[in-house]
């Protein structure tokens, strides 16, 4: 058999079968949970002006420097969104939501695009579910949002999701700028022992040196000053209140001074969720406060906080923790033999579906054995079996597919009730 030469582009993939079901569950559960915390759905465009991302994420970040898919159709310069926060804050300002005076809470899901080197848990088109709360600097909001992420993983049956938090302070001269200086002074004597990318980051983005994964750099960074020990009084008080809030809401966390995040818009609280099933790319989600972002985009000084959770990484964690348990099983599978039985079965399947059951049948006109094999593969709970003989007598066989389940021949008119009775 000849094979098509067309393949999904490296770093992109198709979702179907178990992964398709897990994907749907990840999105549906996010919507159900986040709405209970007061988040409304927002859909923003998949592409925006390149400048929006450069300004928000930061010109000296890996994302903006090397990972964006940017196009120049005509005289525009547009970029496929590498993340969702910039678009949400742009939308918030564009629609004058700041004038309403109350907190705006949005959740979203959809594809994001980064030209990274593909590997396990790292794709070029990946998907996020995210939440953004714009309009409050209350540390209790940080605690609420961060624990909402933990609750979400719990809902998906993930018991091994872990939370790391840190504070990277604010832009006041006595806060992060001073800490940066302290860090540079501490790193400078050993800079030549650090890896090439750390050396390149020394002037442009010195905080990223602390989260370098190179083992040599890690050893060198062990004794460096910690951001959460060098905060201005306001950021220090905010961080204390966030930690207290987390403890009160049952959000178990580890304090991690190496957590600095890869996007420039963060201020104060930053956090990441990790899962052991992921290996090197173990962050299943992350976020933080971005109190300067609205202003950076030309709006008023409005604080905000949010997170984004990587769906692909969640799928890997789900597979590791709960195998297939999240699949939606098929309730009824129709097996028909003969042309008239096949047509009658198509009508019955329509009736099952109209009654709210998940039902399907074989459209290949295959043998009885092959159809039963399909029913097993689809994990059907009940099979209804119709041959030409049964049809002529107005009867049908209802077979319970669970282990040790029996079967009985019933009138076609009673079939729906019999199927319902046989379902768990
Ligand atoms: P981020 O840490 O860049 O943050 O991405 C969030 C999550 O998206 C990561 O923890 C990871 O699970 C997933 N992710 C990122 N890149 C990839 C990739 N190439 N392949 C697969 N999954 C990936 C943000 O995007 C911020 N917008 C989060 C945020 C929202 N901060 C405030 N509000």
């Amino acid at each position: 058999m000849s094979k098509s030469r067309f393949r999904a582009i490296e770093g992109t993939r198709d979702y179907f079968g178990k992964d398709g079901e897990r994907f749907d569950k990840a999105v549906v559960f996010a919507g159900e949970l986040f709405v209970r915390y007061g988040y409304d759905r927002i859909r923003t465009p998949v592409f925006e002006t390149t400048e929006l991302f450069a300004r928000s994420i930061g010109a000296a970040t890996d994302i903006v420097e090397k990972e964006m898919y940017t196009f120049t159709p005509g005289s525009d310069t547009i970029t496929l969104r590498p993340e969702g926060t910039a678009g949400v804050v742009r939308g918030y300002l564009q629609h004058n939501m700041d004038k309403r005076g109350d907190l705006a809470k949005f959740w979203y899901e959809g594809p994001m695009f980064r030209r990274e080197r593909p590997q396990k848990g790292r794709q070029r088109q990946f998907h996020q579910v995210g939440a953004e709360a714009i309009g409050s600097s209350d540390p209790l909001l940080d605690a609420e949002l961060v624990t909402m992420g933990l609750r979400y993983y719990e809902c998906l049956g993930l018991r091994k999701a872990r939370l790391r938090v840190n504070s990277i302070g604010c832009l006041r001269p006595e806060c992060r700028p001073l800490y940066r200086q302290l860090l540079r002074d501490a790193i400078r004597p050993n800079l030549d022992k650090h890896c090439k990318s750390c050396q390149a980051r020394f002037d442009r983005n010195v905080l990223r040196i602390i989260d370098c994964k190179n083992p040599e750099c890690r050893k060198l960074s062990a004794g460096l000053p910690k951001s959460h020990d060098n905060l201005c009084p306001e950021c220090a008080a905010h961080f204390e209140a966030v930690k207290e809030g987390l403890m009160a809401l049952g959000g178990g966390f580890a304090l991690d001074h190496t957590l600095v995040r890869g996007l420039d818009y963060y201020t104060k609280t930053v956090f990441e969720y990790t899962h052991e099933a992921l290996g090197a790319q173990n962050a299943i989600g992350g976020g933080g406060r971005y109190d300067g972002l609205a202003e950076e985009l030309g709006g008023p000084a409005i604080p905000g906080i949010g997170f984004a959770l990587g769906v692909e990484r969640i799928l890997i964690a789900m597979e590791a923790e709960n195998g297939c348990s999240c699949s939606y099983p098929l309730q009824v599978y129709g097996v028909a033999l003969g042309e008239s039985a096949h047509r009658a079965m198509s009508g019955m399947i329509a009736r099952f579906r109209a009654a709210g059951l998940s039902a399907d049948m074989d459209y290949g006109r295959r043998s009885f054995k092959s159809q039963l094999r399909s029913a097993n593969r689809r994990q059907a709970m009940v099979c209804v079996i119709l041959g030409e003989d049964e049809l002529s007598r107005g009867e049908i066989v209802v077979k319970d597919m669970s282990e040790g389940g029996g079967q009985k021949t019933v009138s076609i008119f009673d079939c729906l009730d019999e199927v319902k009775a046989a379902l768990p």
Side-chain angles (χ1 to χ4, degrees):
M1 210 173 19
S2 69
K3 219 171 159 195
S4 165
R5 66 188 169 82
F6 294 107
R7 326 279 302 161
I9 290 171
E10 198 192 6
T12 73
R13 52 161 298 198
D14 307 310
Y15 302 86
F16 56 94
K18 290 277 165 268
D19 258 356
E21 285 167 8
R22 289 189 192 108
F23 196 123
D24 286 350
K25 188 171 175 185
V27 173
V28 168
F29 276 41
E32 283 176 5
L33 182 73
F34 300 167
V35 162
R36 277 196 267 145
Y37 281 75
Y39 287 78
D40 291 334
R41 180 75 160 89
I42 188 168
R43 287 190 177 83
T44 62
V46 170
F47 52 84
E48 303 260 6
T49 60
T50 305
E51 199 195 343
L52 172 71
F53 298 119
R55 272 194 170 261
S56 312
I57 300 166
T61 56
D62 286 351
I63 298 179
V64 173
E65 275 190 344
K66 359 181 228 221
E67 296 169 2
M68 298 208 299
Y69 283 96
T70 295
F71 306 87
T72 46
S75 56
D76 303 332
T77 304
I78 59 171
T79 294
L80 294 184
R81 63 180 181 197
E83 58 102 56
T85 313
V88 173
V89 176
R90 193 256 322 124
Y92 171 88
L93 294 172
Q94 181 176 338
H95 304 292
N96 298 318
M97 295 187 211
D98 52 305
K99 308 277 187 309
R100 297 182 196 163
D102 53 352
L103 181 61
K105 282 173 148 182
F106 288 115
W107 80 275
Y108 53 89
E109 57 89 13
M112 310 289 159
F113 306 86
R114 296 184 195 175
R115 230 181 140 271
E116 296 190 81
R117 199 166 42 78
Q119 62 180 79
K120 182 181 173 190
R122 192 160 74 187
Q123 292 187 193
R124 293 183 163 179
Q125 174 176 325
F126 61 101
H127 298 76
Q128 290 181 337
V129 296
E132 313 289 348
I134 309 170
S136 167
S137 52
D138 186 340
L140 270 185
L141 178 65
D142 304 34
E144 181 195 85
L145 177 114
V146 175
T147 46
M148 180 172 85
L150 285 177
R151 296 289 99 81
Y152 169 71
Y153 294 123
E154 276 167 26
C155 286
L156 291 176
L158 299 179
R159 281 152 303 152
K160 294 183 183 158
R162 297 287 176 266
L163 168 65
R164 302 186 295 144
V165 294
N166 191 19
S167 174
I168 53 169
C170 68
L171 305 179
R172 280 193 209 101
E174 68 275 24
C175 201
R176 199 187 311 163
L178 187 64
Y179 171 62
R180 270 208 197 101
Q181 208 42 58
L182 269 177
L183 211 52
R184 281 208 188 91
D185 292 346
I187 293 172
R188 194 172 289 110
N190 289 319
L191 184 59
D192 55 340
K193 302 196 184 89
H194 278 268
C195 71
K196 286 267 169 304
S197 68
C198 281
Q199 291 180 20
R201 282 167 167 165
F202 183 74
D203 287 318
R204 287 179 305 133
N205 205 346
V206 67
L207 255 59
R208 293 301 311 266
I209 294 185
I210 319 176
D211 84 340
C212 179
K213 302 286 180 286
N214 180 315
E216 270 315 300
C217 300
R218 285 209 145 220
K219 263 191 244 158
L220 289 166
S221 300
L224 291 177
K226 301 178 172 52
S227 62
H228 60 75
D229 289 339
N230 290 281
L231 301 170
C232 70
E234 191 199 308
C235 289
H238 184 94
F239 196 41
E240 277 314 303
V242 172
K243 288 186 283 181
E244 273 169 28
L246 282 175
M247 284 188 279
L249 294 175
F253 64 91
L255 197 60
D256 184 352
H257 76 279
T258 67
L259 179 63
V260 295
R261 309 274 299 138
L263 302 94
D264 278 359
Y265 50 61
Y266 290 117
T267 51
K268 296 184 176 165
T269 316
V270 287
F271 56 96
E272 257 175 24
Y273 307 102
T274 56
H275 194 281
E276 61 182 33
L278 269 302
Q281 305 298 323
N282 70 350
I284 50 174
R289 214 167 236 295
Y290 44 85
D291 291 350
L293 180 54
E295 213 175 356
E296 184 64 38
L297 297 183
I302 301 230
I305 181 165
F307 63 52
L309 319 176
V311 175
E312 282 73 11
R313 296 186 190 177
I314 291 171
L315 300 189
I316 296 172
M318 281 167 92
E319 187 177 5
E321 276 209 51
N322 51 27
C324 300
S325 68
C326 66
S327 66
Y328 302 108
L330 190 64
Q331 289 173 298
V332 197
Y333 194 83
V335 173
L337 281 172
E339 198 47 41
S340 338
H342 189 74
R343 257 181 282 128
M345 182 59 81
S346 142
M348 297 196 62
I349 294 295
R351 270 206 287 142
F352 292 136
R353 289 180 184 148
L357 302 181
S358 60
D360 207 357
M361 64 181 280
D362 176 64
Y363 286 95
R365 297 195 172 42
R366 296 177 309 153
S367 70
F368 178 70
K369 238 172 132 179
S370 313
Q371 293 187 53
L372 266 191
R373 219 178 294 129
S374 294
N376 276 321
R377 195 171 44 79
R378 304 275 300 273
Q379 296 179 322
M381 294 171 174
V382 172
C383 262
V384 288
I385 303 165
L386 191 63
E388 297 290 324
D389 285 352
E390 283 90 0
L391 184 62
S392 64
R393 290 195 302 269
E395 289 175 345
I396 190 164
V397 176
V398 175
K399 181 173 164 55
D400 178 350
M401 299 291 281
S402 57
E403 223 179 302
Q407 66 176 54
K408 57 179 170 177
T409 304
V410 302
S411 152
I412 280 188
F413 299 107
D414 299 334
C415 182
L416 179 58
D417 290 338
E418 293 289 345
V419 165
K420 280 186 179 162
L423 285 171

